[in-house]
Amino acid sequence: MKNKKINLTLLLNERGWYHTLIEYIYAVDILYKNTTSDKISTPLLYLVRHSIEIGLKSTILYLCEKSDSNSMCTEEKLHGHALSRLNNCFNEHWQNIIKKYDLKYQGETLKDIINNTNKYYKELKELIDFFDEYDKESTLFRYGNKHSIQIEQKYSFLESEYCGTVALIDVDKFIAKYKNSMLIFKYLEDALSDFFEYYEDEKILKEIQ
């Protein structure tokens, strides 16, 4: 931040959730690259979790425009922080769109969109499961925790020391998975925008013939 000033007017006026998501992704990247992880572990994990939440909410609103489902299709309905609930809604809309537009049978390009989305989603789902297990309501990494928690070594980015009594997050693996998972939000919207533009053009052509 060269001039150490923040444009408050810009922040307080209309901005889409996607713009906020990008800023969170930048913040995660800056913390990861420039600070020793054990000194900023709580804020780093909070930023990762919150950016996943914003990404899901932003993408749900986009998918609502094309899905036959009315599930959580307004910002008012997208309240709360439970990632599992948002994830279920995201999947509902995505599967409805696949079925409604027969995406599996629309040629290789659409098959690639489905396959790439599934690839990114696999990365995202592991992070959702992790946060849903240990920080379901988005409080632990915001406020801290006063109770002991039993940690299972079932996530690809976890390691253990001292005969399994200490659980460690491999930050490089964790952030790599996070970066891959974030691709789903921008990729899906861009890829579907091209398809729907073509779909609407074809529909208009059929109507005027």
Side-chain angles (χ1 to χ4, degrees), residues 1-12 15 23:
M1 195 175 294
K2 293 180 180 180
N3 59 4
K4 298 187 183 300
K5 295 178 183 178
I6 293 174
N7 189 333
L8 186 60
T9 300
L10 177 64
L11 292 178
L12 296 182
R15 298 176 80 224
E23 292 187 2

Side-chain angles (χ1 to χ4, degrees), residues 30-41:
I30 290 169
L31 287 181
Y32 169 61
K33 289 179 177 177
N34 295 285
T35 311
T36 304
S37 61
D38 59 355
K39 296 184 183 298
I40 46 82
S41 54

Side-chain angles (χ1 to χ4, degrees), residues 4-169:
K4 298 187 183 300
K5 295 178 183 178
I6 293 174
N7 189 333
L8 186 60
T9 300
L10 177 64
L11 292 178
L12 296 182
N13 284 277
E14 288 191 21
R15 298 176 80 224
W17 277 351
Y18 187 75
H19 292 94
T20 304
L21 171 62
I22 294 300
E23 292 187 2
Y24 271 93
I25 293 173
Y26 283 151
V28 169
D29 193 53
I30 290 169
L31 287 181
Y32 169 61
K33 289 179 177 177
N34 295 285
T35 311
T36 304
S37 61
D38 59 355
K39 296 184 183 298
I40 46 82
S41 54
T42 301
L44 178 64
L45 290 172
Y46 172 73
L47 290 177
V48 168
R49 191 199 186 284
H50 195 59
S51 56
I52 292 172
E53 178 183 329
I54 294 173
L56 285 170
K57 289 180 176 181
S58 174
T59 306
I60 286 169
L61 288 180
Y62 172 76
L63 296 179
C64 278
E65 299 173 7
K66 306 298 181 182
S67 171
D68 282 332
S69 172
N70 290 321
S71 175
M72 296 165 67
C73 279
T74 64
E75 290 192 22
E76 290 74 19
K77 291 181 179 178
L78 287 170
H79 64 281
H81 305 290
L83 295 182
S84 58
R85 175 171 170 264
L86 294 171
N87 176 58
N88 290 338
C89 182
F90 167 84
N91 266 321
E92 179 184 331
H93 287 296
W94 175 225
Q95 295 305 319
N96 282 352
I97 287 174
I98 291 174
K99 183 178 179 180
K100 178 180 178 180
Y101 296 97
D102 290 325
L103 296 189
K104 292 181 179 179
Y105 308 102
Q106 293 281 357
E108 292 303 316
T109 300
L110 272 298
K111 287 182 182 178
D112 286 342
I113 291 174
I114 294 174
N115 290 336
N116 287 332
T117 299
N118 289 340
K119 178 178 69 176
Y120 300 141
Y121 177 74
K122 184 179 179 181
E123 305 277 29
L124 176 66
K125 184 63 166 60
E126 186 176 11
L127 292 176
I128 290 174
D129 290 344
F130 169 75
F131 284 115
D132 197 47
E133 183 169 0
Y134 297 115
D135 192 16
K136 191 166 187 175
E137 299 300 326
S138 189
T139 56
L140 190 151
F141 299 122
R142 276 199 288 178
Y143 308 120
N145 181 46
K146 295 181 179 180
H147 307 285
S148 60
I149 297 175
Q150 187 67 34
I151 301 172
E152 296 183 49
Q153 298 291 330
K154 62 181 182 180
Y155 298 100
S156 63
F157 45 80
L158 289 185
E159 300 176 354
S160 64
E161 284 187 351
Y162 304 107
C163 300
T165 59
V166 175
L168 302 172
I169 293 177

Side-chain angles (χ1 to χ4, degrees), residues 193-207:
S193 294
D194 291 339
F195 167 72
F196 286 127
E197 184 177 342
Y198 167 79
Y199 182 87
E200 291 300 323
D201 288 344
E202 287 293 302
K203 194 163 89 172
I204 291 172
L205 285 174
K206 289 179 180 178
E207 289 175 355

